[in-house]
Amino acid sequence: SGAAAVLKNLEATMKDKGLRMTDLFREIDKSGDGQISAEELRFGMKLMSEPKAEALAPLKRAQEKLAQKRAELIEKMMAAQKFEDKVAVAAACGADKVIDKLESFMRRKQMRVKDLFF
């Protein structure tokens, strides 16, 4: 029946959370009168549906790792944009053509950069 399924589900959830029925009752019965009011029952259902901090820890670590990777990616993208800006400035003043000619000369002479200075 539906009630049996709900109770089995409740039992499984309590087992996953390491709770006993008496523990759950004490948690829900905030007034301590030995009875559970409608408001206390709503609180109890909310309590059972929320994961414990230990269950959330792997998710939090994954979120922190993702945030770190995002920050690293943004940093790399900014560095790439800065490089592209410098290339554009070099192209605008003709420096890229000078570099191309220098590279061509060095290839023909089989030179390395350090050969230019020694």
Side-chain angles (χ1 to χ4, degrees), residues 43-69:
F43 168 78
M45 293 298 106
K46 184 177 179 189
L47 178 70
M48 291 302 297
S49 67
E50 293 177 349
K52 288 191 166 196
E54 308 88 63
L56 293 176
L59 176 61
K60 185 175 181 181
R61 284 192 299 273
Q63 288 173 330
E64 289 169 352
K65 190 174 182 180
L66 181 61
Q68 177 65 32
K69 286 187 181 266

Side-chain angles (χ1 to χ4, degrees), residues 19-30:
L19 293 172
R20 299 173 301 171
M21 191 59 81
T22 54
D23 298 329
L24 177 62
F25 188 86
R26 285 188 189 118
E27 279 290 320
I28 294 174
D29 185 21
K30 291 296 184 186

Side-chain angles (χ1 to χ4, degrees), residues 52-113:
K52 288 191 166 196
E54 308 88 63
L56 293 176
L59 176 61
K60 185 175 181 181
R61 284 192 299 273
Q63 288 173 330
E64 289 169 352
K65 190 174 182 180
L66 181 61
Q68 177 65 32
K69 286 187 181 266
R70 175 180 278 152
E72 290 170 2
L73 180 60
I74 289 171
E75 188 175 322
K76 287 178 182 179
M77 290 173 66
M78 289 175 59
Q81 182 61 51
K82 191 174 180 181
F83 178 75
E84 287 179 19
D85 292 346
K86 288 182 179 184
V87 169
V89 169
C93 71
D96 61 331
K97 291 178 182 154
V98 172
I99 291 172
D100 286 342
K101 287 182 181 183
L102 179 60
E103 181 183 11
S104 177
F105 170 79
M106 290 175 68
R107 285 182 193 271
R108 280 194 317 272
K109 301 289 185 179
Q110 296 181 350
M111 296 174 68
R112 296 175 293 178
V113 173

